Amino acid sequence: MSAIRGWWWWRRQPVVSWCRTYCASPLAAPRSPGPPPAFSTASPGPGSKRVGTHNGIFHCDEALGCFMIRFTGKFSGAEIVRTRDPQQLEKLDAVLDAGGVYDPTQERYDHHQKGFSEVFGHGFITKLSSAGLVYKHYGKEIIAKELQLDVEHENVQCVYLAVYKNFIEAIDAIDNGINQYDTDQPPKYVINTHLPSRVGCLNLEWVDSDHSSEKETAAFKQAMMLAGGEFLECVRFHARSWLPARSIVNKCLTSRGNVDPSGEIMVLDRFCPWKHHLLELEKELKINPPIKYVIYQDERSKNWRVHSVPVAPEMYESRRPLPQCWRGLLDDQLSEKSGIPGCLFVHISGFIGVNRTYEGALTMATTALATS
């Protein structure tokens, strides 16, 4: 399965890409006269449900939506029927991204109709696509199944919200044509490597001589596997890595008063990715004053680092950089200037410093905190 973009540097496993080695702008296959036929991605078993979506050009939202809904107990192993025929759609057990109706009581999940404005909630305001609609109503069940926890477990809710924020919301936004940034300026470069773009690459190309329903169905199945594989990898990453890291940061944050009475210095008892978690937990727990420095041990060198907390996870600007007079100095020169034994390094920007011992790193942080 492909790596999830946006947090791939946390993963350790090799990945396999399903995407083609090039992208082309696919054009719709010529329509034949009469009602379009229904296509299935699998042979249904006895009593199988049937889930419908439109045929023709496909996008990431319905490919992912079809994958996810088949992960539920109600629609496990359901046949996927691809058609635009309203009469055929009406007979199906669920319909995604087609039919012009959003009604979860009837298992209808379209978002193209006039007046549609459904959002995920929980503070998110992006209009949902068919993927977001399926995730809104069935995401907790899917997460609970993958985590092997009860659907009401707090960790299920935590991962449910995180997967929407870090994976599903972007698919909703791209499908609904919502820009990532508030600007009327054209983009400075083109990105054709995000998941919706790679799913789009799997559509039949206008130069293909064979636009048969069988070939279109095979392409859609591949799109479901690509989108669904990355979705499951995202869920498993959050269970395997993200959730334990959040737990560590939460514990260390709540015990910060044992480190320094200011409450502005936190020590990680085990290194983990901490920036996103810290800034989110500060808001949730209403931490005031905010944390200025995080201390942790480098696993390889066994030295101790003093990291100034950034104003935002992706930004280089720090809330309180280490003192200007320390920056760019090394070893004995830094120890002499700071008056703190064991100093090794302070970055020229002041965002990080290194000391041989925990006591030295803590002294660097407390001294920096007291420096105006």
Side-chain angles (χ1 to χ4, degrees):
M1 289 179 287
S2 300
I4 309 301
R5 273 56 181 175
W7 39 262
W8 57 267
W9 55 87
W10 284 2
R11 298 184 69 248
R12 294 286 191 270
Q13 304 300 321
V15 297
V16 177
S17 174
W18 288 81
C19 190
R20 293 182 182 179
T21 56
Y22 61 93
C23 288
S25 299
L27 302 180
R31 294 186 179 181
S32 56
F39 301 126
S40 166
T41 62
S43 299
S48 286
K49 301 283 187 178
R50 298 198 304 160
V51 174
T53 189
H54 63 82
N55 59 355
I57 296 296
F58 52 77
H59 302 94
C60 187
D61 69 316
E62 76 266 23
L64 177 58
C66 288
F67 182 94
M68 288 192 295
I69 205 166
R70 296 178 84 244
F71 249 70
T72 66
K74 185 174 183 179
F75 295 100
S76 177
E79 176 187 6
I80 303 299
V81 178
R82 301 189 69 235
T83 180
R84 295 181 187 272
D85 184 350
Q87 293 183 342
Q88 292 193 51
L89 291 173
E90 188 177 347
K91 298 174 184 177
L92 303 177
D93 298 292
V95 177
L96 283 60
D97 211 46
V101 176
Y102 167 53
D103 183 356
T105 66
Q106 300 296 317
E107 305 291 356
R108 264 45 186 174
Y109 303 104
D110 198 8
H111 67 110
H112 297 99
Q113 59 274 21
K114 185 176 181 180
F116 177 87
S117 59
E118 189 75 7
V119 298
F120 187 67
H122 307 283
F124 295 96
I125 60 173
T126 300
K127 189 168 75 169
L128 299 179
S129 67
S130 60
L133 288 172
V134 171
Y135 188 78
K136 178 172 183 174
H137 294 284
Y138 286 107
K140 274 191 179 182
E141 178 187 341
I142 298 169
I143 299 296
K145 179 180 178 181
E146 284 299 303
L147 270 59
Q148 299 183 10
L149 294 172
D150 184 82
V151 74
E152 298 303 325
H153 194 285
E154 62 179 350
N155 285 353
V156 171
Q157 175 74 5
C158 193
V159 173
Y160 173 64
L161 297 177
V163 169
Y164 183 77
K165 178 180 180 180
N166 294 299
F167 190 84
I168 303 290
E169 186 178 22
I171 294 169
D172 288 339
I174 291 171
D175 195 77
N176 283 303
I178 301 171
N179 289 328
Q180 188 175 11
Y181 302 102
D182 292 327
T183 176
D184 57 359
Q185 297 299 312
K188 293 184 177 180
Y189 52 88
V190 173
I191 300 178
N192 281 326
T193 54
H194 54 66
L195 180 57
S197 177
R198 286 180 285 123
V199 166
C201 288
L202 298 175
N203 277 283
L204 304 184
E205 298 174 5
W206 69 274
V207 293
D208 289 343
S209 59
D210 181 3
H211 277 257
S212 64
S213 60
E214 291 79 12
K215 190 169 183 181
E216 185 180 272
T217 297
F220 185 71
K221 288 176 67 176
Q222 191 176 4
M224 286 177 59
M225 292 300 295
L226 170 60
E230 294 210 4
F231 166 73
L232 289 180
E233 182 64 17
C234 179
V235 172
R236 291 162 185 168
F237 159 80
H238 280 84
R240 179 181 68 242
S241 177
W242 182 91
L243 198 59
R246 179 183 171 89
S247 178
I248 291 170
V249 174
N250 189 28
K251 182 182 72 170
C252 296
L253 181 60
T254 54
S255 63
R256 70 193 184 283
N258 299 328
V259 176
D260 185 76
S262 70
E264 297 179 65
I265 301 171
M266 184 181 83
V267 175
L268 287 175
D269 55 20
R270 177 185 176 187
F271 177 77
C272 63
W274 56 268
K275 294 178 186 177
H276 285 85
H277 294 299
L278 175 59
L279 271 63
E280 288 182 357
L281 286 166
E282 280 183 333
K283 292 179 181 178
E284 292 177 20
L285 301 175
K286 298 180 171 57
I287 300 296
N288 190 39
I291 307 301
K292 304 303 188 301
Y293 301 107
V294 173
I295 298 174
Y296 55 89
Q297 188 175 34
D298 182 273
E299 294 178 343
R300 284 183 284 187
S301 69
K302 303 304 179 183
N303 295 320
W304 287 82
R305 298 190 174 199
V306 184
H307 204 302
S308 181
V309 177
V311 297
E314 298 82 9
M315 296 184 67
Y316 292 108
E317 183 183 355
S318 301
R319 287 175 173 173
R320 194 180 184 97
L322 294 170
Q324 179 71 48
C325 60
W326 297 358
R327 299 178 199 175
L329 300 181
L330 302 171
D331 303 325
D332 292 343
Q333 187 181 14
L334 176 58
S335 292
E336 182 178 350
K337 185 68 176 179
S338 65
I340 303 170
C343 289
L344 295 174
F345 167 73
V346 170
H347 192 273
I348 193 66
S349 69
F351 86 95
I352 197 168
V354 183
N355 195 287
R356 288 191 177 88
T357 68
Y358 165 74
E359 292 76 14
L362 180 58
T363 302
M364 290 177 74
T366 56
T367 301
L369 198 60
T371 302
S372 58

